Amino acid sequence: MINYQDLPQVFSEKLTKSNAMLERANNVLVSFVTTGPYRAPANVTFVKRAQGSRVWDVDGNEYLDVTMGYGPLILGHAHPIVVEAAQQAVADGTTYAIAHEHEVHMAELMVDAIPCADKVLFCNSGTEATMYAIRIARATSGKTKVATFEMGWHGPHDYGLIGSMLSEGKGPASAPLPSTDCSGVSERVAEESIKLAFDCEESLQRIRELKDEIAVVIIEAMPSAYPLQMQSFLKRLREVTTECGVLLMFDEVVTGFRCAYGGAQEKFGVVPDLAAFGKAMGGGMPVGAVVGTNQAMSSIVSSGDPVQDAMERKVVAIGTFSGNPVTTRVGAAVVEHLRDNPSIYRDMDALTAQVKTELNAFAKDKEIPFELLGDNSWFMPYMGDKPFQHARHCHDENHVMRNIMLCNYLRYMGVYFPDMHTGFFSAAHNQTDAEFFVDTCKTALLELRAQNLL
Ligand code: PMP
């Protein structure tokens, strides 16, 4: 094994073609990967192709991938079902802007699967879905303020960049203050936002106090910054929002079709008024959807004429590619496969539980600051000095530094784990992959310890 300090040299030899491409990318792109690595890896790898649980870079290096496109690839890379559906769909025309059956079929599948879904609005990303859901909630409720949880993530529209997981948090931890995360976001948006703390009684009290102003409370049923369950808090949140007449929206962009076929709302038995979906429902195609009860969605049920809708002060949420035939056809094929093969969920959950148990016992035994947080089929190594207890711990300096070192070592050894991000298992990951993942993590942690870096 090599010293951590020597990795840049080793990578520069392993990644010659990637490095050449990085130079080209930096000349023309604002970021070398537009999907945006949460933290850019020190050594940038350009992917050539991917299959199942593996990716290969342009230099021919193979990696066990747990990035899984940040979540959409629930069946793994290039699953035959996805490839076939996409090929057939493309051959029949890529987009129509005329009604077609596949959109209807996909919506029927979602209404059948998701407890809160009476109606579906398709769009092209999770970001669009949460953006539209906010507008729908405001129009339905007649109220303005948007309550979100500190350290959450709903995509980078203006409301998504108020106290998100990109910021370290402002104000008291139990009653955070809303502030803009980057320039270009209007301060007005911060004024119209309320920040709450995950899993915290004070958040419920603040909803009671501000109920006449809050249009919607938006929560990730499991935070994407740290996948941990908070079922009893969700139940309390549902009770309090119902009692206060405030709409509750789940951001199920990650949890949808991943936590369970019916999403986190099925898994935890808590049904919101609205939910945003994306990622897994498209099996890798760019997709988003807002679903909700007839009542919550009443403000967006369209006359079919956006001019008429606007005149009637209905919500307008139209788009050239929304509900397009390729996405909905691939999405429907993936969702039907998940519906017909419930063992996929059992298997992915079991693999996660196994790697969590093994790695956490190992770290405890060796007294290494490492804990694999996770649930269902997603996980995140937490490496702070103290056990993870609060959302703000995501920004613990030692955790950040050690996580980046670990991911760098893992890539050197053939596991692609994105820096400072959750990893995912898919239906394509098997027992051998899980064992390789565990062994590689153990070796990397021991190496870092031996070099006094942990
Ligand atoms: N909500 C959550 C919970 C997410 O994790 C993400 C993406 N990581 C989004 C919304 C935004 O989705 P997209 O990147 O598809 O716009």
Side-chain angles (χ1 to χ4, degrees):
M1 194 71 162
I2 59 150
N3 279 334
Y4 188 77
Q5 294 90 301
D6 297 331
L7 274 186
Q9 178 57 33
V10 176
F11 274 120
S12 80
E13 286 156 21
K14 258 171 94 84
L15 302 176
T16 47
K17 287 188 183 159
S18 275
N19 287 336
M21 214 162 278
L22 181 61
E23 263 188 61
R24 281 174 54 200
N26 283 337
N27 283 335
V28 288
L29 286 168
V30 294
S31 164
F32 55 83
V33 46
T34 311
T35 42
Y38 181 44
R39 297 273 166 147
N43 306 286
V44 179
T45 309
F46 282 76
V47 170
K48 173 107 174 155
R49 70 183 185 90
Q51 180 73 55
S53 62
R54 306 275 153 169
V55 291
W56 288 265
D57 68 19
V58 286
D59 291 282
N61 301 300
E62 178 178 335
Y63 305 86
L64 169 70
D65 184 26
V66 294
T67 317
M68 287 289 117
Y70 287 171
L73 301 165
I74 192 140
L75 300 184
H77 290 285
H79 191 283
I81 282 180
V82 171
V83 174
E84 196 185 323
Q87 282 172 341
Q88 285 175 356
V90 170
D92 284 344
T94 46
T95 194
Y96 312 132
I98 305 173
H100 59 92
E101 186 191 348
H102 307 293
E103 188 175 11
V104 180
H105 179 49
M106 182 69 192
E108 285 169 345
L109 287 167
M110 293 184 76
V111 167
D112 278 349
I114 304 161
C116 81
D118 291 327
K119 284 280 187 303
V120 180
L121 163 76
F122 286 120
C123 52
N124 303 294
S125 67
T127 305
E128 265 187 61
T130 59
M131 178 186 79
Y132 285 142
I134 287 172
R135 190 177 301 157
I136 293 167
R138 282 173 151 171
T140 298
S141 68
K143 296 184 270 181
T144 303
K145 289 202 173 165
V146 176
T148 52
F149 286 77
E150 186 182 72
M151 226 58 83
W153 186 248
H154 306 296
H157 53 67
D158 281 7
Y159 286 92
L161 288 177
I162 305 293
S164 76
M165 67 176 174
L166 301 185
S167 89
E168 292 184 350
K170 296 250 162 46
S174 58
L177 296 174
S179 66
T180 57
D181 291 348
C182 74
S183 68
V185 177
S186 166
E187 292 303 327
R188 287 256 180 100
V189 179
E191 286 160 23
E192 289 171 345
S193 300
I194 291 160
K195 287 315 285 186
L196 302 169
F198 278 123
D199 217 357
C200 171
E201 191 61 33
E202 207 167 321
S203 300
L204 304 175
Q205 194 44 39
R206 291 182 67 215
I207 293 169
R208 287 198 184 93
E209 284 159 16
L210 299 166
K211 65 179 192 241
D212 296 334
E213 297 171 55
I214 301 177
V216 61
V217 173
I218 304 176
I219 188 165
E220 292 163 271
M222 275 168 61
S224 45
Y226 58 99
L228 289 180
Q229 285 199 22
M230 43 182 178
Q231 184 175 22
S232 56
F233 181 67
L234 294 177
K235 287 200 163 139
R236 297 275 295 118
L237 190 59
R238 177 68 282 186
E239 282 162 17
V240 171
T241 47
T242 304
E243 161 202 318
C244 293
V246 170
L247 290 170
L248 175 64
M249 178 190 136
F250 280 1
D251 181 337
E252 294 239 38
V253 171
V254 178
T255 52
F257 293 104
R258 177 170 287 279
C259 260
Y261 182 63
Q265 48 194 282
E266 177 196 300
K267 170 129 189 147
F268 300 134
V270 182
V271 182
D273 302 293
L274 290 161
F277 276 68
K279 301 211 184 212
M281 65 171 273
M285 302 302 292
V287 72
V290 183
V291 301
T293 62
N294 282 325
Q295 211 285 320
M297 297 287 274
S298 56
S299 59
I300 192 175
V301 173
S302 171
S303 66
D305 173 359
V307 177
Q308 179 71 22
D309 288 349
M311 270 178 351
E312 289 176 13
R313 306 302 293 161
K314 291 261 179 165
V315 171
V316 176
I318 45 181
T320 303
F321 296 109
S322 296
N324 79 79
V326 181
T327 299
T328 48
R329 218 154 144 178
V330 170
V334 170
V335 165
E336 282 172 342
H337 186 72
L338 293 169
R339 180 196 61 196
D340 298 342
N341 294 278
S343 61
I344 287 177
Y345 291 104
R346 284 198 295 278
D347 292 347
M348 292 192 305
D349 292 4
L351 277 194
T352 308
Q354 176 191 333
V355 300
K356 250 181 85 174
T357 307
E358 286 186 31
L359 285 172
N360 291 345
F362 169 83
K364 198 167 176 207
D365 180 51
K366 303 278 183 229
E367 296 182 357
I368 292 175
F370 171 96
E371 187 190 359
L372 198 68
L373 308 176
D375 202 72
N376 303 120
S377 47
W378 47 320
F379 40 85
M380 159 99 190
Y382 183 70
M383 301 186 72
D385 288 319
K386 296 196 196 110
F388 183 88
Q389 274 170 343
H390 189 275
R392 287 188 181 177
H393 287 176
C394 291
H395 289 281
D396 177 284
E397 266 179 31
N398 282 335
H399 159 57
V400 174
M401 187 184 68
R402 292 166 179 162
N403 178 296
I404 288 170
M405 288 194 296
L406 174 67
C407 292
N408 228 347
Y409 246 134
L410 291 180
R411 280 192 289 275
Y412 164 70
M413 288 188 287
V415 172
Y416 204 107
F417 203 129
D419 294 6
M420 289 297 295
H421 201 278
T422 39
F424 296 90
F425 282 145
S426 71
H429 290 83
N430 58 25
Q431 189 61 31
T432 313
D433 293 329
E435 280 164 24
F436 180 58
F437 178 73
V438 167
D439 290 346
T440 313
C441 286
K442 285 182 180 172
T443 310
L445 290 170
L446 285 179
E447 269 306 316
L448 290 167
R449 158 61 52 92
Q451 293 169 40
N452 290 324
L453 294 168
L454 285 183

